[in-house]
Amino acid sequence: MLLKEIVDAGHYIFVPECDGWEDSIRKCCIPLIADGTVDGTYENTIIDCVKEHGPYIVLMPGYCLPHAMQGAKGVHKTAIGFMKCEMPVVFDPADPEKYATVFFTLAAENEKAHMRNMKMLFGMLTNEDLLAELQNVHQVGDLLELDKKYFS
């Protein structure tokens, strides 16, 4: 379902490490920028939001949902991107739970499509077995295997 859609759209990237949390935001936007889903201003919008509101995008240890408000500047389509970073990205050195290695980047231009994506993402984020396995993906084939295992 969602993982296969992400792969089919080419909205994924695997990186060994990031040079801080701002770099992680820039890298996780690369696949969405590549096909025009967002433009380069969107990554700056997300970074500005985190600077203003804190690391609200880290939902739980290991998992980050980079996003800004629906209709944010630089968003042209609705989609979800995926990034796996081998080394944890620390968003708040004072809070050991504010780190991430798995990123689901949200872009919302169409409310109905965004709500559909959020429903599928919620289903994934509430599946503890799937979450554990997402920590061990290293290539696109791993995402497709998880999609078959959990959504076929």
Side-chain angles (χ1 to χ4, degrees), residues 104-116:
F104 286 100
T105 310
L106 310 177
E109 187 272 331
N110 175 292
E111 184 176 351
K112 186 174 182 180
H114 180 61
M115 293 310 293
R116 175 192 167 275

Side-chain angles (χ1 to χ4, degrees), residues 32-54:
L32 299 176
I33 291 171
D35 74 347
T37 296
V38 302
D39 63 42
T41 60
Y42 187 56
E43 61 191 26
N44 293 324
T45 301
I46 297 170
I47 289 168
D48 290 344
C49 285
V50 173
K51 285 179 177 178
E52 182 177 344
H53 304 289

Side-chain angles (χ1 to χ4, degrees), residues 52-112:
E52 182 177 344
H53 304 289
Y56 68 97
I57 60 177
V58 181
L59 290 184
M60 61 188 119
Y63 297 88
C64 185
L65 268 66
H67 67 282
M69 301 291 283
Q70 181 175 330
K73 184 177 180 186
V75 177
H76 307 292
K77 300 175 192 171
T78 299
I80 296 179
F82 175 87
M83 180 176 84
K84 173 66 179 354
C85 187
E86 293 301 318
M87 298 298 296
V89 176
V90 176
F91 282 79
D92 181 354
D95 185 347
E97 294 195 349
K98 293 295 183 183
Y99 75 91
T101 56
V102 174
F103 294 70
F104 286 100
T105 310
L106 310 177
E109 187 272 331
N110 175 292
E111 184 176 351
K112 186 174 182 180

